[in-house]
Amino acid sequence: MPGPDFPGAESFLPPRRSLPSLATAVQGCRGCDLYREATQAVFGDGSADARLVLVGEQPGDAEDRAGEPFVGPAGRVLDRALEEAGIAREQVWVTNAVKHFRFTQQGKRRIHESPSRWQVAACQPWLLAELDALRPEGLVLLGATAGKALLGPGFRVGASRGRVLEPLPTRQEWVVATIHPSAVLRARERDELYAGLTADLAVARERLAGRG
Ligand code: URA
Ligand code: SF4
């Protein structure tokens, strides 16, 4: 349901769907309205041989400028939590459910706004093509948007987090859901949320190690 005036991403995907060709083609996507205000599309990044793919929501302000996922404040939380959970960031692939930054301008500041349901649906072909090119063993879904993008609109982080969900109806990978790292930044109980994020990531690490 890409919305009244936009076709969704499918027709912008390249015929041969390698990671480099997808990363190039996404810059030309006009599948929803988000390309208009954003600086650039932000494709995933990391190890092309990754056994684990982490899926966030959408690029933030820093990512929109840099053109790379999770390089701003939320990315620093994620990096630290991954390290603490025993997962090397160099060995994973990190991406987002939506490839362009959605925001509202307030003076000079750009305030993050979550993508709408139809924007998530419009962008889903990029994520699915990316996962098909990567063929990882497992996925970590960071927050509600990533969960809804792959598991449907009924997904709730609280009900699903911190355990291995398998198999996905339409995919091969096992899945661990957790909170979004930016929730840690917003929380009053930061330590508690951070510990929960790290514990959920450790569930994915155990599964990768064949122990979960
Ligand atoms: N939040 C996300 O979901 N993804 C990013 O890349 C950065 C912040
Ligand atoms: Fe295309 Fe996704 Fe960007 Fe919308 S957000 S224009 S569907 S890449």
Side-chain angles (χ1 to χ4, degrees), residues 37-69:
E37 305 293 331
T39 309
Q40 58 193 317
V42 179
F43 197 61
D45 189 40
S47 165
D49 300 324
R51 296 169 62 203
L52 187 66
V53 171
L54 291 95
V55 184
E57 181 188 67
Q58 62 172 354
D61 182 71
E63 291 78 14
D64 171 82
R65 296 175 202 278
E68 289 169 37

PDB file of all heavy atoms in Angstrom, residues 37-69:
ATOM      1  N   GLU A  37      12.935  15.220   0.750  1.00  0.00           N
ATOM      2  CA  GLU A  37      13.545  16.096   1.754  1.00  0.00           C
ATOM      3  C   GLU A  37      14.874  15.573   2.268  1.00  0.00           C
ATOM      4  O   GLU A  37      15.665  16.328   2.838  1.00  0.00           O
ATOM      5  CB  GLU A  37      12.590  16.284   2.946  1.00  0.00           C
ATOM      6  CG  GLU A  37      11.211  16.797   2.582  1.00  0.00           C
ATOM      7  CD  GLU A  37      11.245  18.225   2.056  1.00  0.00           C
ATOM      8  OE1 GLU A  37      12.148  18.985   2.445  1.00  0.00           O
ATOM      9  OE2 GLU A  37      10.366  18.564   1.237  1.00  0.00           O
ATOM     10  N   ALA A  38      15.108  14.290   2.117  1.00  0.00           N
ATOM     11  CA  ALA A  38      16.331  13.700   2.659  1.00  0.00           C
ATOM     12  C   ALA A  38      17.535  14.064   1.796  1.00  0.00           C
ATOM     13  O   ALA A  38      17.397  14.405   0.622  1.00  0.00           O
ATOM     14  CB  ALA A  38      16.178  12.181   2.726  1.00  0.00           C
ATOM     15  N   THR A  39      18.724  14.007   2.395  1.00  0.00           N
ATOM     16  CA  THR A  39      19.955  14.299   1.662  1.00  0.00           C
ATOM     17  C   THR A  39      20.282  13.197   0.664  1.00  0.00           C
ATOM     18  O   THR A  39      20.683  13.461  -0.469  1.00  0.00           O
ATOM     19  CB  THR A  39      21.131  14.421   2.657  1.00  0.00           C
ATOM     20  OG1 THR A  39      20.770  15.326   3.684  1.00  0.00           O
ATOM     21  CG2 THR A  39      22.398  14.886   1.966  1.00  0.00           C
ATOM     22  N   GLN A  40      20.100  11.959   1.093  1.00  0.00           N
ATOM     23  CA  GLN A  40      20.457  10.807   0.266  1.00  0.00           C
ATOM     24  C   GLN A  40      19.812   9.573   0.888  1.00  0.00           C
ATOM     25  O   GLN A  40      19.394   9.611   2.045  1.00  0.00           O
ATOM     26  CB  GLN A  40      21.982  10.631   0.240  1.00  0.00           C
ATOM     27  CG  GLN A  40      22.580  10.440   1.633  1.00  0.00           C
ATOM     28  CD  GLN A  40      24.098  10.573   1.653  1.00  0.00           C
ATOM     29  OE1 GLN A  40      24.784  10.061   0.788  1.00  0.00           O
ATOM     30  NE2 GLN A  40      24.610  11.289   2.654  1.00  0.00           N
ATOM     31  N   ALA A  41      19.763   8.508   0.127  1.00  0.00           N
ATOM     32  CA  ALA A  41      19.339   7.231   0.704  1.00  0.00           C
ATOM     33  C   ALA A  41      20.511   6.650   1.494  1.00  0.00           C
ATOM     34  O   ALA A  41      21.672   6.898   1.173  1.00  0.00           O
ATOM     35  CB  ALA A  41      18.916   6.268  -0.402  1.00  0.00           C
ATOM     36  N   VAL A  42      20.186   5.906   2.518  1.00  0.00           N
ATOM     37  CA  VAL A  42      21.222   5.228   3.313  1.00  0.00           C
ATOM     38  C   VAL A  42      20.976   3.729   3.208  1.00  0.00           C
ATOM     39  O   VAL A  42      20.003   3.211   3.753  1.00  0.00           O
ATOM     40  CB  VAL A  42      21.182   5.693   4.784  1.00  0.00           C
ATOM     41  CG1 VAL A  42      22.239   4.953   5.595  1.00  0.00           C
ATOM     42  CG2 VAL A  42      21.408   7.200   4.866  1.00  0.00           C
ATOM     43  N   PHE A  43      21.851   3.063   2.489  1.00  0.00           N
ATOM     44  CA  PHE A  43      21.756   1.611   2.343  1.00  0.00           C
ATOM     45  C   PHE A  43      22.465   0.968   3.526  1.00  0.00           C
ATOM     46  O   PHE A  43      23.104   1.638   4.330  1.00  0.00           O
ATOM     47  CB  PHE A  43      22.405   1.198   1.007  1.00  0.00           C
ATOM     48  CG  PHE A  43      22.042  -0.180   0.546  1.00  0.00           C
ATOM     49  CD1 PHE A  43      20.721  -0.523   0.269  1.00  0.00           C
ATOM     50  CD2 PHE A  43      23.022  -1.152   0.378  1.00  0.00           C
ATOM     51  CE1 PHE A  43      20.383  -1.800  -0.158  1.00  0.00           C
ATOM     52  CE2 PHE A  43      22.699  -2.431  -0.051  1.00  0.00           C
ATOM     53  CZ  PHE A  43      21.385  -2.753  -0.316  1.00  0.00           C
ATOM     54  N   GLY A  44      22.376  -0.351   3.635  1.00  0.00           N
ATOM     55  CA  GLY A  44      23.069  -1.048   4.715  1.00  0.00           C
ATOM     56  C   GLY A  44      24.570  -1.025   4.522  1.00  0.00           C
ATOM     57  O   GLY A  44      25.076  -0.648   3.469  1.00  0.00           O
ATOM     58  N   ASP A  45      25.248  -1.451   5.563  1.00  0.00           N
ATOM     59  CA  ASP A  45      26.710  -1.447   5.523  1.00  0.00           C
ATOM     60  C   ASP A  45      27.225  -2.538   6.459  1.00  0.00           C
ATOM     61  O   ASP A  45      26.558  -2.908   7.412  1.00  0.00           O
ATOM     62  CB  ASP A  45      27.213  -0.070   5.982  1.00  0.00           C
ATOM     63  CG  ASP A  45      28.702   0.083   5.763  1.00  0.00           C
ATOM     64  OD1 ASP A  45      29.206  -0.372   4.711  1.00  0.00           O
ATOM     65  OD2 ASP A  45      29.372   0.653   6.645  1.00  0.00           O
ATOM     66  N   GLY A  46      28.409  -3.021   6.167  1.00  0.00           N
ATOM     67  CA  GLY A  46      29.016  -4.025   7.039  1.00  0.00           C
ATOM     68  C   GLY A  46      29.690  -5.106   6.231  1.00  0.00           C
ATOM     69  O   GLY A  46      30.152  -4.861   5.124  1.00  0.00           O
ATOM     70  N   SER A  47      29.715  -6.300   6.795  1.00  0.00           N
ATOM     71  CA  SER A  47      30.357  -7.417   6.133  1.00  0.00           C
ATOM     72  C   SER A  47      29.376  -8.105   5.192  1.00  0.00           C
ATOM     73  O   SER A  47      28.296  -8.534   5.616  1.00  0.00           O
ATOM     74  CB  SER A  47      30.852  -8.418   7.183  1.00  0.00           C
ATOM     75  OG  SER A  47      31.147  -9.642   6.540  1.00  0.00           O
ATOM     76  N   ALA A  48      29.771  -8.231   3.932  1.00  0.00           N
ATOM     77  CA  ALA A  48      28.911  -8.911   2.960  1.00  0.00           C
ATOM     78  C   ALA A  48      28.770 -10.399   3.294  1.00  0.00           C
ATOM     79  O   ALA A  48      27.850 -11.052   2.817  1.00  0.00           O
ATOM     80  CB  ALA A  48      29.470  -8.734   1.551  1.00  0.00           C
ATOM     81  N   ASP A  49      29.670 -10.922   4.122  1.00  0.00           N
ATOM     82  CA  ASP A  49      29.596 -12.330   4.541  1.00  0.00           C
ATOM     83  C   ASP A  49      28.894 -12.495   5.886  1.00  0.00           C
ATOM     84  O   ASP A  49      28.975 -13.561   6.499  1.00  0.00           O
ATOM     85  CB  ASP A  49      31.008 -12.917   4.706  1.00  0.00           C
ATOM     86  CG  ASP A  49      31.794 -12.854   3.425  1.00  0.00           C
ATOM     87  OD1 ASP A  49      31.175 -13.033   2.369  1.00  0.00           O
ATOM     88  OD2 ASP A  49      33.020 -12.618   3.487  1.00  0.00           O
ATOM     89  N   ALA A  50      28.235 -11.455   6.337  1.00  0.00           N
ATOM     90  CA  ALA A  50      27.682 -11.468   7.690  1.00  0.00           C
ATOM     91  C   ALA A  50      26.730 -12.639   7.916  1.00  0.00           C
ATOM     92  O   ALA A  50      25.877 -12.924   7.073  1.00  0.00           O
ATOM     93  CB  ALA A  50      26.963 -10.159   7.967  1.00  0.00           C
ATOM     94  N   ARG A  51      26.857 -13.284   9.059  1.00  0.00           N
ATOM     95  CA  ARG A  51      25.889 -14.316   9.456  1.00  0.00           C
ATOM     96  C   ARG A  51      24.695 -13.693  10.167  1.00  0.00           C
ATOM     97  O   ARG A  51      23.684 -14.338  10.376  1.00  0.00           O
ATOM     98  CB  ARG A  51      26.568 -15.332  10.376  1.00  0.00           C
ATOM     99  CG  ARG A  51      27.686 -16.112   9.679  1.00  0.00           C
ATOM    100  CD  ARG A  51      28.489 -16.900  10.690  1.00  0.00           C
ATOM    101  NE  ARG A  51      27.650 -17.889  11.369  1.00  0.00           N
ATOM    102  CZ  ARG A  51      27.930 -18.406  12.576  1.00  0.00           C
ATOM    103  NH1 ARG A  51      29.013 -18.018  13.232  1.00  0.00           N
ATOM    104  NH2 ARG A  51      27.130 -19.297  13.118  1.00  0.00           N
ATOM    105  N   LEU A  52      24.877 -12.436  10.576  1.00  0.00           N
ATOM    106  CA  LEU A  52      23.826 -11.746  11.330  1.00  0.00           C
ATOM    107  C   LEU A  52      23.586 -10.370  10.715  1.00  0.00           C
ATOM    108  O   LEU A  52      24.536  -9.623  10.450  1.00  0.00           O
ATOM    109  CB  LEU A  52      24.284 -11.577  12.781  1.00  0.00           C
ATOM    110  CG  LEU A  52      23.253 -11.022  13.771  1.00  0.00           C
ATOM    111  CD1 LEU A  52      22.095 -12.003  13.952  1.00  0.00           C
ATOM    112  CD2 LEU A  52      23.913 -10.734  15.119  1.00  0.00           C
ATOM    113  N   VAL A  53      22.322 -10.031  10.497  1.00  0.00           N
ATOM    114  CA  VAL A  53      21.945  -8.707   9.986  1.00  0.00           C
ATOM    115  C   VAL A  53      21.089  -8.015  11.042  1.00  0.00           C
ATOM    116  O   VAL A  53      20.147  -8.611  11.574  1.00  0.00           O
ATOM    117  CB  VAL A  53      21.182  -8.817   8.658  1.00  0.00           C
ATOM    118  CG1 VAL A  53      20.603  -7.465   8.237  1.00  0.00           C
ATOM    119  CG2 VAL A  53      22.096  -9.348   7.555  1.00  0.00           C
ATOM    120  N   LEU A  54      21.432  -6.773  11.340  1.00  0.00           N
ATOM    121  CA  LEU A  54      20.649  -5.975  12.276  1.00  0.00           C
ATOM    122  C   LEU A  54      19.843  -4.950  11.499  1.00  0.00           C
ATOM    123  O   LEU A  54      20.382  -4.253  10.637  1.00  0.00           O
ATOM    124  CB  LEU A  54      21.576  -5.243  13.256  1.00  0.00           C
ATOM    125  CG  LEU A  54      22.304  -6.146  14.243  1.00  0.00           C
ATOM    126  CD1 LEU A  54      23.677  -6.492  13.726  1.00  0.00           C
ATOM    127  CD2 LEU A  54      22.416  -5.485  15.597  1.00  0.00           C
ATOM    128  N   VAL A  55      18.554  -4.877  11.809  1.00  0.00           N
ATOM    129  CA  VAL A  55      17.662  -3.984  11.071  1.00  0.00           C
ATOM    130  C   VAL A  55      17.116  -2.910  12.017  1.00  0.00           C
ATOM    131  O   VAL A  55      16.452  -3.228  13.007  1.00  0.00           O
ATOM    132  CB  VAL A  55      16.483  -4.762  10.454  1.00  0.00           C
ATOM    133  CG1 VAL A  55      15.621  -3.835   9.597  1.00  0.00           C
ATOM    134  CG2 VAL A  55      16.979  -5.941   9.620  1.00  0.00           C
ATOM    135  N   GLY A  56      17.406  -1.647  11.702  1.00  0.00           N
ATOM    136  CA  GLY A  56      16.871  -0.525  12.465  1.00  0.00           C
ATOM    137  C   GLY A  56      15.639   0.052  11.798  1.00  0.00           C
ATOM    138  O   GLY A  56      14.974  -0.609  10.983  1.00  0.00           O
ATOM    139  N   GLU A  57      15.330   1.288  12.136  1.00  0.00           N
ATOM    140  CA  GLU A  57      14.117   1.918  11.616  1.00  0.00           C
ATOM    141  C   GLU A  57      14.379   2.645  10.300  1.00  0.00           C
ATOM    142  O   GLU A  57      13.888   2.291   9.240  1.00  0.00           O
ATOM    143  CB  GLU A  57      13.567   2.888  12.656  1.00  0.00           C
ATOM    144  CG  GLU A  57      12.289   3.570  12.200  1.00  0.00           C
ATOM    145  CD  GLU A  57      11.867   4.663  13.157  1.00  0.00           C
ATOM    146  OE1 GLU A  57      12.593   5.681  13.262  1.00  0.00           O
ATOM    147  OE2 GLU A  57      10.821   4.496  13.814  1.00  0.00           O
ATOM    148  N   GLN A  58      15.141   3.719  10.394  1.00  0.00           N
ATOM    149  CA  GLN A  58      15.454   4.567   9.244  1.00  0.00           C
ATOM    150  C   GLN A  58      16.692   5.377   9.640  1.00  0.00           C
ATOM    151  O   GLN A  58      17.002   5.483  10.819  1.00  0.00           O
ATOM    152  CB  GLN A  58      14.293   5.506   8.946  1.00  0.00           C
ATOM    153  CG  GLN A  58      14.004   6.454  10.106  1.00  0.00           C
ATOM    154  CD  GLN A  58      12.987   7.537   9.783  1.00  0.00           C
ATOM    155  OE1 GLN A  58      12.549   7.688   8.670  1.00  0.00           O
ATOM    156  NE2 GLN A  58      12.624   8.317  10.786  1.00  0.00           N
ATOM    157  N   PRO A  59      17.395   5.950   8.654  1.00  0.00           N
ATOM    158  CA  PRO A  59      18.536   6.787   9.026  1.00  0.00           C
ATOM    159  C   PRO A  59      18.086   7.969   9.883  1.00  0.00           C
ATOM    160  O   PRO A  59      16.974   8.466   9.725  1.00  0.00           O
ATOM    161  CB  PRO A  59      19.095   7.258   7.678  1.00  0.00           C
ATOM    162  CG  PRO A  59      18.092   6.910   6.648  1.00  0.00           C
ATOM    163  CD  PRO A  59      17.196   5.862   7.209  1.00  0.00           C
ATOM    164  N   GLY A  60      18.939   8.385  10.790  1.00  0.00           N
ATOM    165  CA  GLY A  60      18.691   9.599  11.551  1.00  0.00           C
ATOM    166  C   GLY A  60      19.412  10.773  10.910  1.00  0.00           C
ATOM    167  O   GLY A  60      19.943  10.664   9.789  1.00  0.00           O
ATOM    168  N   ASP A  61      19.435  11.873  11.612  1.00  0.00           N
ATOM    169  CA  ASP A  61      20.064  13.092  11.090  1.00  0.00           C
ATOM    170  C   ASP A  61      21.516  12.853  10.668  1.00  0.00           C
ATOM    171  O   ASP A  61      21.922  13.214   9.562  1.00  0.00           O
ATOM    172  CB  ASP A  61      19.975  14.182  12.174  1.00  0.00           C
ATOM    173  CG  ASP A  61      20.565  15.488  11.711  1.00  0.00           C
ATOM    174  OD1 ASP A  61      19.950  16.140  10.849  1.00  0.00           O
ATOM    175  OD2 ASP A  61      21.661  15.845  12.191  1.00  0.00           O
ATOM    176  N   ALA A  62      22.291  12.219  11.547  1.00  0.00           N
ATOM    177  CA  ALA A  62      23.720  11.995  11.261  1.00  0.00           C
ATOM    178  C   ALA A  62      23.899  11.038  10.090  1.00  0.00           C
ATOM    179  O   ALA A  62      24.771  11.235   9.231  1.00  0.00           O
ATOM    180  CB  ALA A  62      24.418  11.439  12.505  1.00  0.00           C
ATOM    181  N   GLU A  63      23.060  10.015  10.040  1.00  0.00           N
ATOM    182  CA  GLU A  63      23.174   9.015   8.976  1.00  0.00           C
ATOM    183  C   GLU A  63      22.785   9.612   7.628  1.00  0.00           C
ATOM    184  O   GLU A  63      23.378   9.306   6.596  1.00  0.00           O
ATOM    185  CB  GLU A  63      22.279   7.811   9.297  1.00  0.00           C
ATOM    186  CG  GLU A  63      22.752   6.968  10.479  1.00  0.00           C
ATOM    187  CD  GLU A  63      22.434   7.562  11.850  1.00  0.00           C
ATOM    188  OE1 GLU A  63      21.609   8.507  11.923  1.00  0.00           O
ATOM    189  OE2 GLU A  63      23.009   7.085  12.847  1.00  0.00           O
ATOM    190  N   ASP A  64      21.763  10.473   7.648  1.00  0.00           N
ATOM    191  CA  ASP A  64      21.323  11.139   6.425  1.00  0.00           C
ATOM    192  C   ASP A  64      22.461  11.969   5.824  1.00  0.00           C
ATOM    193  O   ASP A  64      22.632  12.035   4.606  1.00  0.00           O
ATOM    194  CB  ASP A  64      20.117  12.028   6.750  1.00  0.00           C
ATOM    195  CG  ASP A  64      19.726  12.921   5.595  1.00  0.00           C
ATOM    196  OD1 ASP A  64      19.025  12.431   4.695  1.00  0.00           O
ATOM    197  OD2 ASP A  64      20.135  14.103   5.594  1.00  0.00           O
ATOM    198  N   ARG A  65      23.237  12.604   6.685  1.00  0.00           N
ATOM    199  CA  ARG A  65      24.359  13.414   6.187  1.00  0.00           C
ATOM    200  C   ARG A  65      25.526  12.549   5.748  1.00  0.00           C
ATOM    201  O   ARG A  65      26.178  12.812   4.744  1.00  0.00           O
ATOM    202  CB  ARG A  65      24.827  14.376   7.282  1.00  0.00           C
ATOM    203  CG  ARG A  65      23.769  15.395   7.673  1.00  0.00           C
ATOM    204  CD  ARG A  65      24.259  16.245   8.850  1.00  0.00           C
ATOM    205  NE  ARG A  65      23.148  16.852   9.562  1.00  0.00           N
ATOM    206  CZ  ARG A  65      22.533  17.975   9.188  1.00  0.00           C
ATOM    207  NH1 ARG A  65      22.939  18.616   8.112  1.00  0.00           N
ATOM    208  NH2 ARG A  65      21.527  18.448   9.885  1.00  0.00           N
ATOM    209  N   ALA A  66      25.808  11.502   6.547  1.00  0.00           N
ATOM    210  CA  ALA A  66      26.999  10.670   6.286  1.00  0.00           C
ATOM    211  C   ALA A  66      26.756   9.641   5.179  1.00  0.00           C
ATOM    212  O   ALA A  66      27.700   9.174   4.547  1.00  0.00           O
ATOM    213  CB  ALA A  66      27.417   9.958   7.563  1.00  0.00           C
ATOM    214  N   GLY A  67      25.498   9.252   4.984  1.00  0.00           N
ATOM    215  CA  GLY A  67      25.207   8.212   4.004  1.00  0.00           C
ATOM    216  C   GLY A  67      25.479   6.808   4.514  1.00  0.00           C
ATOM    217  O   GLY A  67      25.532   5.860   3.731  1.00  0.00           O
ATOM    218  N   GLU A  68      25.652   6.665   5.821  1.00  0.00           N
ATOM    219  CA  GLU A  68      25.909   5.344   6.400  1.00  0.00           C
ATOM    220  C   GLU A  68      25.000   5.113   7.598  1.00  0.00           C
ATOM    221  O   GLU A  68      24.696   6.054   8.332  1.00  0.00           O
ATOM    222  CB  GLU A  68      27.366   5.235   6.868  1.00  0.00           C
ATOM    223  CG  GLU A  68      28.342   5.155   5.732  1.00  0.00           C
ATOM    224  CD  GLU A  68      29.765   5.311   6.225  1.00  0.00           C
ATOM    225  OE1 GLU A  68      30.071   4.802   7.316  1.00  0.00           O
ATOM    226  OE2 GLU A  68      30.550   5.970   5.530  1.00  0.00           O
ATOM    227  N   PRO A  69      24.589   3.850   7.813  1.00  0.00           N
ATOM    228  CA  PRO A  69      23.652   3.567   8.913  1.00  0.00           C
ATOM    229  C   PRO A  69      24.338   3.572  10.277  1.00  0.00           C
ATOM    230  O   PRO A  69      25.520   3.211  10.389  1.00  0.00           O
ATOM    231  CB  PRO A  69      23.150   2.154   8.579  1.00  0.00           C
ATOM    232  CG  PRO A  69      24.261   1.531   7.807  1.00  0.00           C
ATOM    233  CD  PRO A  69      24.914   2.641   7.027  1.00  0.00           C
TER     234      PRO A  69
END
